[in-house]
Amino acid sequence: VGCCISSPRKTQFKKEVISVPHRDQEHNFDVWYRPLWDWACDLLKDPRLGPHFVFDAQRLYKYDGQDFVHFFDEPWTANAFWNSQVCMCY
């Protein structure tokens, strides 16, 4: 199986068999996955990717000739991201 040849230094795929009963028969399905937490840690540790992750909320503004207007261009510039980090400080 192609998913079995992933790099040995990264989180390996795991295989689980899921059994589904249907019309008096048991059907088995192989499901391949990577544990999400381990995979996320691998991404953060990767020197090519890790430095590009953003964990601090930002508020970005641009001047439209009269006022500064808040704009959003990435998830960490959204109000919900900002509000959740502001609440953690108290």
Side-chain angles (χ1 to χ4, degrees):
V1 177
C3 61
C4 294
I5 59 172
S6 64
S7 171
R9 292 173 290 175
K10 300 295 180 191
T11 300
Q12 295 298 298
F13 281 92
K14 292 185 177 184
K15 177 184 168 188
E16 298 286 338
V17 177
I18 296 180
S19 299
V20 179
H22 179 70
R23 295 187 181 173
D24 300 329
Q25 287 186 338
E26 191 83 14
H27 298 274
N28 295 319
F29 298 94
D30 294 343
V31 177
W32 292 87
Y33 69 96
R34 284 185 174 161
L36 187 57
W37 182 259
D38 297 337
W39 178 61
C41 289
D42 284 345
L43 294 176
L44 289 169
K45 292 176 191 173
D46 187 320
R48 295 167 295 165
L49 295 174
H52 300 286
F53 282 91
V54 176
F55 295 98
D56 294 321
Q58 300 174 4
R59 284 198 168 163
L60 302 177
Y61 295 87
K62 61 183 173 183
Y63 190 66
D64 68 359
Q66 290 183 313
D67 297 308
F68 285 95
V69 179
H70 186 197
F71 70 96
F72 310 94
D73 70 341
E74 297 289 350
W76 55 87
T77 63
N79 285 333
F81 204 104
W82 179 271
N83 292 339
S84 68
Q85 285 203 346
V86 169
C87 290
M88 283 191 242
C89 296
Y90 298 107

